[in-house]
Amino acid sequence: MFTVAPISGLFLDIYAGGDDNKAGESASPTPTSTKTPKTSERTDGARVIARSGDTGKVLWTSAPLSILVEPEPPTLKVINTAGGEFVIVVRRGNTPDEALAKSAKVVVVDSFPVVGSGLEVAPTRHIQRFVEGRLDSSAVVVGNGGVLFAESSVGPLGAIEAGNSWDPVDGSNQRFVATTTKRSKCLDGLPCEVRTAPIELTSSGMLSLIDAKCDRIDFSDACLRGFGVSDRWNSEAVAPQGRPLGAPIAVTGTAVIAAWWQVTKRDTRPSVLYVAHDLATGAAVASTECVVEIDLAQNRAGLPLTAASSPDNRYVVAGPLAFDLSAGKAVCLGKDPLSKTVILKSVGDSGIAYGTVQQESAANHFVDRDAPPAVVSAPVATGEVQAFSADTSVPESIAGPGIGIFRPVTAPRDPPSTRIGVYPKSR
């Protein structure tokens, strides 16, 4: 498990010695500390390791994090705040059964400034929350504006009914709830109640879904009303002409990617327009039509697609979509129903995007699951896809100008490799 800090050019991963790598942490060794660990800092606790993306040199390692029994795979995400880049570590598991305390299910979040030094760096902020029920039901959403903890399961498009927001920089905690307002006239001309429910806390404010208390959202109904960012803007003011219904599908530090459509007859395929909106103002920056329909019906934390930006923030990729925010251009790598869908996962400052091809297409539902997925590259300017042989690796992420993070190719039914490589080769 790793992440990159694009501004600082650092590579960060998590290592847990003594746990047989059951939770998916890095198998890379951590530097030896000359400090004698305390009982509460046993070396079987996970450590965060920060390396230079340019040279691979270890710049700092964290003190051992709190011990969790039967931990789930951790997640790491770098956020960009007014105080600089921070890496947020989210872990789920059970607290140890001790003499005076029973074991309990918890979700633990620690934050570290990305730029640091030393071998026993303590988190600047730490929070632990007890979990009722299954651990995977404890929705946690990390955004550039902070961390959201959901009190219950999330709704369509990751909408959260109630929970707490936590600032990983100053440690402040604030409760939030979805709000409901009455409107005298909605899209069908009749009165309705409209709910505004938080999805993610961005650097510009809370990104929220605005709907009519939908149980499900798809491209064939008018339940959805739109979305917005705090008091800055809402989708009604920026909707493309002829497409009044909009849904956020991905977000970066500078843009919200949204799908827009017009309700049609139930058996008619809608025309979907995908737009990159400026996060601060809502202004449309680039758009493209696409026959690929993003799954809006999922009920899980976060938005349907994971977006990645180039280090200079000019280019953004999300699923089959690629945007050039400076040139105001966009492409979709799913040009017709017979094309296999390309899922992009990284893009460099040169405008070259990288990804994989989904194994199924509309015309071919019978695929060889043992065949490795094809890997591809495509210039954002043209969208012309180039496929590579199955033994080729493309960048999982790009840590800085010309610095790609690669993972070795494994068999399709095997778990992803825990090893990573950097190209150009570290000096």
Side-chain angles (χ1 to χ4, degrees):
M1 185 60 63
F2 70 89
T3 188
V4 298
I7 297 176
S8 306
L10 269 62
F11 170 88
L12 302 106
D13 66 349
I14 189 166
Y15 167 77
D19 68 353
D20 297 324
N21 202 35
K22 292 178 180 178
E25 293 87 349
S26 167
S28 303
T30 183
T32 301
S33 171
T34 57
K35 175 184 175 182
T36 301
K38 301 176 182 178
T39 302
S40 61
E41 297 176 336
R42 299 196 306 271
T43 56
D44 56 345
R47 291 178 183 263
V48 178
I49 308 172
R51 295 178 172 87
S52 166
D54 189 25
T55 67
K57 179 182 178 181
V58 174
L59 302 180
W60 60 267
T61 62
S62 74
L65 305 179
S66 57
I67 303 300
L68 293 181
V69 180
E70 298 180 351
E72 295 189 351
T75 61
L76 293 86
K77 183 174 181 178
V78 171
I79 64 173
N80 186 22
T81 75
E85 289 179 304
F86 280 73
V87 59
I88 309 302
V89 185
V90 180
R91 298 179 300 136
R92 294 176 175 85
N94 300 281
T95 58
D97 188 31
E98 299 179 342
L100 299 177
K102 295 180 180 180
S103 176
K105 297 176 183 177
V106 294
V107 56
V108 180
V109 183
D110 294 282
S111 67
F112 299 84
V114 166
V115 178
S117 62
L119 297 178
E120 297 285 340
V121 177
T124 54
R125 298 293 173 186
H126 169 89
I127 189 170
Q128 176 176 294
R129 295 175 63 90
F130 292 98
V131 175
E132 297 287 343
R134 294 173 46 177
L135 278 170
D136 59 8
S137 67
S138 56
V140 179
V141 182
V142 180
N144 281 321
V147 181
L148 301 184
F149 296 91
E151 290 183 353
S152 59
S153 59
V154 299
L157 292 173
I160 303 173
E161 198 66 32
N164 287 84
S165 64
W166 179 67
D167 189 321
V169 179
D170 63 23
S172 60
N173 202 317
Q174 186 175 350
R175 179 173 167 74
F176 64 85
V177 295
T179 60
T180 300
T181 58
K182 292 183 178 180
R183 292 191 182 183
S184 60
K185 187 177 181 180
C186 292
L187 288 176
D188 52 10
L190 300 175
C192 68
E193 287 189 344
V194 175
R195 176 186 61 178
T196 301
I199 298 174
E200 181 173 326
L201 194 52
T202 75
S203 56
S204 292
M206 187 74 79
L207 174 64
S208 298
L209 182 70
I210 304 171
D211 68 3
K213 298 185 177 179
C214 312
D215 292 324
R216 176 185 171 87
I217 293 175
D218 59 35
F219 291 112
S220 63
D221 62 43
C223 178
L224 187 71
R225 297 295 184 263
F227 59 97
V229 176
S230 293
D231 297 326
R232 287 177 176 262
W233 59 274
N234 67 67
S235 58
E236 289 182 275
V238 298
Q241 185 175 3
R243 290 181 171 89
L245 301 175
I249 57 173
V251 64
T252 73
T254 60
V256 176
I257 312 302
W260 292 93
W261 69 98
Q262 168 73 55
V263 172
T264 58
K265 294 180 180 180
R266 181 67 64 170
D267 297 330
T268 303
R269 190 183 190 94
S271 173
V272 182
L273 183 71
Y274 294 95
V275 181
H277 295 271
D278 183 272
L279 179 62
T281 67
V285 179
S287 63
T288 181
E289 291 195 15
C290 189
V291 299
V292 178
E293 292 183 10
I294 308 302
D295 181 13
L296 304 180
Q298 61 185 11
N299 288 25
R300 64 173 177 81
L303 292 168
L305 298 181
T306 298
S309 298
S310 58
D312 63 4
N313 288 318
R314 173 173 176 172
Y315 301 99
V316 173
V317 295
L321 307 168
F323 300 87
D324 181 340
L325 302 183
S326 294
K329 296 182 178 180
V331 294
C332 172
L333 306 185
K335 297 179 180 179
D336 59 67
L338 297 182
S339 298
K340 290 185 177 180
T341 301
V342 174
I343 302 299
L344 300 171
K345 53 187 175 181
S346 65
V347 61
D349 290 346
S350 63
I352 306 297
Y354 304 91
T356 59
V357 179
Q358 283 189 333
Q359 291 291 78
E360 286 191 31
S361 70
N364 180 18
H365 294 286
F366 301 96
V367 296
D368 182 2
R369 297 297 180 186
D370 291 322
V375 294
V376 299
S377 70
V380 177
T382 64
E384 295 297 324
V385 178
Q386 179 181 359
F388 300 98
S389 60
D391 59 353
T392 303
S393 291
V394 294
E396 294 271 326
S397 183
I398 295 179
I403 303 173
I405 308 297
F406 295 80
R407 194 187 296 273
V409 176
T410 57
R413 295 182 183 272
D414 292 341
S417 173
T418 59
R419 299 176 62 84
I420 57 91
V422 178
Y423 183 85
K425 185 177 179 181
S426 300
R427 293 188 291 274

